[in-house]
Amino acid sequence: MAGLEHYERVYRGKPIRHWENENNFLYGHRGQEVIRPLDVPVVHPLAVDNPPTDDIMKKYIGPGCGLVSLITEKLLVHPFIVLRRQCQVNPGSTKYHIIPITLVPVVARLYQTQGVNTLWKGIGSVLLVNGMTLAIEDFISKITLWPKEISCNSSLKAFGQHIFLKCISIGLTTPFYSASLVETVQSEIASESPGILDVFKDGAIRLVEVSNKGRLIPIYALLPPTIAYGVSKYLFTMTVQRVTHYIMQSRQKRSQELGGAYSRSLSSDEFMIDIKLQSTLISTFMADVLFYPWETVIHRLHLQGTRTIIDNLDTGRSVTPLLTGYSGAGDCYNTILSTEGPFGLYKGFGALLLQFAVHIVIVRTVKWILTELGTTLTLKSKSAQKPPNWRR
């Protein structure tokens, strides 16, 4: 600037000496290279606009695995639910399929004779009934202020209201659950393919049929065992999930303390979501195993008198009608024990094992893919950064 040529350059109140100027440093002296001061770039952490890529990926690994787990539970493992229910409701089958290996040749024959669609029958009605249950719970909670979810700090009154809400939602969806169950187990080669909304029509017909026509059990007789089964299984699942969540979190904290350092990851969202996902899988599996005999009894009662024809999973090539004459849940349980033995209550248990095995494999695979993707993106972002210019 004009007029300032004769003023000295000042830094922090002190004049800058001419020999401290960077241009005055020599590159060589008497034939030897002179080591010059390094240009070290100073970047304040708060000045970084973009967070590290690995932190971003870690943030989304937990929610991504949770979403995949939900999709797997409601959609991808549906073929195993079909196999499991067809085994449960068939009183005349000679092969119980307690272990998964016996189902492999049967599934291969079903695929050869009927195609892959036979394992996905009833998927639409199952999703509609699940959606109906959620909608009913949401509607009742809004008009009555009963809580849809409870925590450890909830009062006894809130807990009772929540359980009563579950009872009402299960009771209202029971006739539609019966219709969905029929669509899930009936053979496609011996029955007409149902429409998308036929579950509502068939459920309404089942609801108005209050008289006992033939062997069909009226819906009011199915409500007590169905509601008791649903609420008991829900309470057991919720209890095991919370206990498992607490144990896993406590063990992780104890291992950190024994190691001499307490990691911040224990309170991170990623860590909590991962524990919640594992505890949910464990509690769901334990509940399905424990309540499997009860589920077998409930399914047989719902299908009695519906004139349903199912695939014969003894061979995988033929069909068989369902002909039962149970008078109630107790009679069904005792008849199964006397005619089919204790293992008759666990028909199709191998399909349940396959269901959870596939579920765990899918979740683990997705988590590995997301982790590897995060590592790859982190390495690329680091390599893309321009290294500092140490020499000029």
Side-chain angles (χ1 to χ4, degrees), residues 88-369:
Q88 283 179 316
V89 300
N90 189 359
S93 60
T94 58
K95 294 182 180 179
Y96 291 4
H97 300 297
I98 303 296
I99 58 177
I101 193 65
T102 59
L103 283 169
V104 176
V106 176
V107 173
R109 297 188 195 106
L110 285 175
Y111 175 76
Q112 293 175 355
T113 57
Q114 302 185 35
V116 71
N117 292 333
T118 187
L119 299 177
W120 293 93
K121 53 192 174 186
I123 180 63
S125 62
V126 170
L127 296 177
L128 288 175
V129 172
N130 290 335
M132 183 187 300
T133 303
L134 296 177
I136 290 175
E137 291 181 0
D138 183 69
F139 176 75
I140 296 177
S141 65
K142 288 182 178 179
I143 63 176
T144 61
L145 299 181
W146 294 348
K148 290 191 299 182
E149 297 180 358
I150 55 176
S151 62
C152 298
N153 300 324
S154 300
S155 62
L156 185 61
K157 179 182 178 181
F159 178 79
Q161 292 174 344
H162 177 72
I163 297 302
F164 196 60
L165 173 65
K166 289 291 182 181
C167 293
I168 294 178
S169 63
I170 294 174
L172 292 178
T173 56
T174 295
F176 305 98
Y177 179 80
S178 297
S180 174
L181 182 61
V182 172
E183 293 185 7
T184 305
V185 301
Q186 68 180 0
S187 177
E188 288 193 341
I189 60 176
S191 308
E192 295 182 359
S193 299
I196 299 178
L197 302 179
D198 282 355
V199 62
F200 298 109
K201 181 186 69 174
D202 297 338
I205 294 174
R206 188 68 185 271
L207 181 62
V208 298
E209 288 182 349
V210 295
S211 61
N212 193 348
K213 297 181 179 179
R215 297 179 179 179
L216 183 67
I217 300 178
I219 201 65
Y220 65 83
L222 292 174
L223 286 178
T226 304
I227 293 176
Y229 163 75
V231 174
S232 300
K233 187 177 180 180
Y234 170 74
L235 291 176
F236 179 83
T237 304
M238 181 177 60
T239 303
V240 174
Q241 180 181 0
R242 292 184 177 179
V243 171
T244 307
H245 187 280
Y246 175 77
I247 293 175
M248 295 175 65
Q249 190 174 8
S250 300
R251 289 183 59 185
Q252 188 68 19
K253 288 182 179 180
R254 192 177 299 109
S255 64
Q256 292 284 346
E257 292 173 355
L258 293 177
Y262 189 79
S263 177
R264 287 183 183 178
S265 62
L266 290 176
S267 59
S268 63
D269 293 338
E270 176 197 358
F271 178 77
M272 299 303 294
I273 292 176
D274 188 50
I275 286 185
K276 183 179 180 181
L277 179 61
Q278 296 182 34
S279 60
T280 301
L281 284 174
I282 294 174
S283 60
T284 304
F285 177 73
M286 292 181 63
D288 283 343
V289 172
L290 181 63
F291 288 87
Y292 198 89
W294 198 347
E295 183 184 66
T296 302
V297 172
I298 293 295
H299 286 173
R300 292 197 181 188
L301 294 178
H302 277 272
L303 291 180
Q304 180 171 299
T306 58
R307 300 178 181 178
T308 303
I309 300 176
I310 65 173
D311 296 315
N312 185 4
L313 295 189
D314 286 345
T315 62
R317 294 191 178 95
S318 60
V319 296
T320 180
L322 294 181
L323 300 175
T324 57
Y326 309 118
S327 60
D331 179 60
C332 179
Y333 177 80
N334 294 327
T335 303
I336 293 175
L337 288 180
S338 60
T339 59
E340 305 172 50
F343 288 106
L345 296 169
Y346 288 92
K347 284 185 175 181
F349 189 76
L352 178 65
L353 298 179
L354 282 175
Q355 173 184 337
F356 278 94
V358 172
H359 193 161
I360 293 174
V361 168
I362 292 177
V363 173
R364 293 288 184 181
T365 303
V366 171
K367 184 177 181 179
W368 178 81
I369 291 175

